[in-house]
Structures are given as C-alpha cells and as structure tokens.
Amino acid sequence: MLPRPAEHCCGACPLLQGVQIVASYTVVVGMFSLLSLLMRGPAAKHPGPPEMLLFVEWCQTFIHTVALFAGLKGLIGVMFRDPARLRTLLRYHIAELVVSSVGVVLKEVEACEELRKLRQIHKSPKIDCTSARVLLMVEFAIHAFLFSYFAFVIWSLIARLEAGELGVRPPLLDPEHELADRSGFSDVWPLGRTAGDGNSLWMQRVPLSGGPSAAAGPQPFSGAPRTLSDQQAVAPEPFHGTAHRLE
C-alpha cells in the first residue's frame, strides 16, 4: 500500500517550491560532476581498488553527470506542472540510491584492505577497520535518508498533479490556450453583454438615441458625385416674392 502523498516539503515549504529546490540542487550536482569529469587529471600510480568497486564508482560518476539533465527536466516539470518530466527527476534519485547502496556494500567489504593501502601511501591517521566501517555506514545512512525524502517529495507532487489537486498549467505556445486566456481577461463586458458576443463591442459604440437605424450602421451614399468647382459655379436664385416693411 502506497503512503499518503505529502502536502508540504520539510513541514512548511509548499510542495512545488520544495521540488523546485530539489531540482536546482540536482542541477548543481550535475554541473560539478561534469566539470570534475572533464578536468580530472591522470590517475595516481598506486594500487587501485578492485574492479567491482571501480565499476560502481564509474556508475556513480555517470549517475551524477546525468543529474544535470534530470534536474533541468525537473525544473521544467515544476514550471509547467508536468508529471512526465518530474518522473525523470524521480528516476534519477531512485537510481542514485540503488547505486549508492551497492557501492556502500562493496566499500564495507573492502574497507580493511583500502585502509591498509591508504596507510602505506598517505600515512593516514591511525583508525581501525571497525571504526572505518561505522563511519561509512553513518555517511550512507544520512545520504540515504536525504535522497529518500527527496524521492518521496517528488512522488507526492506527481501524485497530486495527476489527481488534479494543484491544477494544470497550459503548454507553452499553444494557440487554443492563448486565445482562451485572452478571452478570459474580461468575462463580462459593460451593458450586460458577454465577451463571446460578436456584436458587443459594436453595440457599445452605437449611440443610445440612434434607434434601430443607427444600430444597422451608416447608410451608403446614393446621390450624384459633386466637386467644389460645381458648387461655386451655381449662382443664387433671385427673390420673387412681395417685399414688406417691418415697422
């Protein structure tokens, strides 16, 4: 039975903001891992660890390098509330936990031998094999608890997004959603008409005293065309009535 999805991250932080912080941390880990992989110098000339331990360390380096891609996918998933992109970030944290678990088991087995080699090369402080194994387990326990909680928070956000509790943000550059957003700026227009009415804007411009004829629009010109010269050429007609004097 699956646990109940979390409502907040770290007790008080909103779930979206918490996953955004986790994704940002993942991007930073990926960047540092990629830079260390590119700038790594030649290997030191000393007896190295067993082949299995080398393979696990190579897998950890690869996983940490992929963290850059997974973190960016997670940031985009938080921005657009896309569970598919957030699953990439979740898979990364699960894979990192699996590889770290295998690596700590191999390190526990080879702890005494590795400690002996380090004493011969680096003259490390005197520490017994049991103390070295305890330190490895404490370090792994803190790491496993932290990344397990990260995975749980990401899974909680995915579950709540799929349930529709946090809403869905429309995809970028979608014409249908863009037109819907524009029409939603003013759902109700003045004079009691809705924005979906095609004649609402025209009705606002029609004078109230114009009557039905004004609503139908201006009448087309039906007379003979004239020019200014034609109007000046016409002389005024003389007065033909009876003149009266006002007293």
Side-chain angles (χ1 to χ4, degrees):
M1 182 178 180
L2 295 176
R4 181 181 178 182
E7 297 181 358
H8 299 86
C9 177
C10 303
C13 183
L15 203 58
L16 283 170
Q17 185 176 359
V19 176
Q20 185 178 6
I21 295 174
V22 173
S24 302
Y25 165 77
T26 307
V27 171
V28 173
V29 171
M31 291 178 61
F32 275 100
S33 180
L34 183 61
L35 289 176
S36 64
L37 186 64
L38 295 176
M39 301 175 63
R40 182 176 297 176
K45 296 181 179 179
H46 61 81
E51 294 181 358
M52 185 60 66
L53 192 57
L54 282 175
F55 176 75
V56 173
E57 290 180 355
W58 181 86
C59 290
Q60 288 180 339
T61 304
F62 175 76
I63 290 293
H64 291 162
T65 305
V66 176
L68 178 61
F69 170 75
L72 292 176
K73 292 280 286 187
L75 288 175
I76 298 175
V78 171
M79 184 183 303
F80 295 104
R81 301 181 182 181
D82 186 7
R85 292 185 174 95
L86 290 172
R87 285 193 185 93
T88 303
L89 184 62
L90 178 62
R91 294 189 189 102
Y92 160 75
H93 285 281
I94 294 176
E96 207 279 338
L97 277 175
V98 172
V99 175
S100 299
S101 301
V102 176
V104 75
V105 171
L106 295 178
K107 289 179 180 179
E108 286 287 335
V109 173
E110 300 291 336
C112 297
E113 184 64 21
E114 290 297 316
L115 185 60
R116 184 184 63 83
K117 293 178 181 178
L118 289 175
R119 285 176 180 175
Q120 294 177 357
I121 298 173
H122 300 288
K123 304 297 181 181
S124 61
K126 293 183 178 180
I127 182 174
D128 56 354
C129 183
T130 304
S131 299
R133 287 178 174 175
V134 171
L135 289 177
L136 284 174
M137 287 302 300
V138 171
E139 180 184 359
F140 172 74
I142 297 174
H143 177 83
F145 173 78
L146 186 62
F147 274 74
S148 298
Y149 185 73
F150 287 170
F152 173 70
V153 169
I154 298 169
W155 172 81
S156 300
L157 179 60
I158 293 174
R160 293 193 178 276
L161 286 176
E162 290 179 344
E165 299 180 7
L166 299 179
V168 179
R169 182 171 180 175
L172 186 64
L173 300 178
D174 192 343
E176 297 181 359
H177 289 283
E178 185 179 359
L179 292 176
D181 292 341
R182 289 181 179 179
S183 63
F185 280 132
S186 57
D187 294 335
V188 178
W189 290 68
L191 303 179
R193 293 185 176 270
T194 59
D197 190 358
N199 298 325
S200 59
L201 184 59
W202 168 251
M203 292 298 295
Q204 291 181 25
R205 299 179 180 177
V206 175
L208 296 178
S209 60
S213 60
Q219 298 295 330
F221 179 75
S222 58
R226 293 182 179 181
T227 60
L228 295 177
S229 59
D230 297 337
Q231 295 181 0
Q232 294 177 358
V234 177
E237 296 181 359
F239 180 73
H240 300 285
T242 303
H244 295 277
R245 181 178 181 181
L246 297 177
E247 294 180 357

